[in-house]
Amino acid sequence: MRRPVQSTPTLLTIRSALVLGLSLIFGTAAGVLTYSVTGSVAGAILGAGAATAGAIGLLNQIISDTANGG
């Protein structure tokens, strides 16, 4: 007897994972560069957070959501 295939909903869409992944990469790069210039861990964390937030907003606008007609 065959069991019916049950599909579980995904936690994130591919678009969301791409936006978050790329923004984390940009934020990490900004944090490393900020730390290498200033030598301040606190400044590097703030710079990384600001770059990550900015990249999320930018990539959200750039990467189109064609599946939902946007």
Side-chain angles (χ1 to χ4, degrees):
M1 175 177 250
R2 293 180 123 186
R3 289 185 179 176
V5 177
Q6 295 179 351
S7 64
T8 58
T10 58
L11 184 62
L12 288 174
T13 63
I14 294 175
R15 178 178 177 266
S16 298
L18 183 64
V19 167
L20 289 175
L22 286 174
S23 64
L24 288 175
I25 290 171
F26 294 152
T28 301
V32 168
L33 289 174
T34 303
Y35 180 75
S36 68
V37 171
T38 63
S40 169
V41 174
I45 291 172
L46 287 173
T52 302
I56 287 174
L58 180 66
L59 291 172
N60 191 31
Q61 291 179 355
I62 291 175
I63 300 174
S64 65
D65 189 11
T66 57
N68 292 332

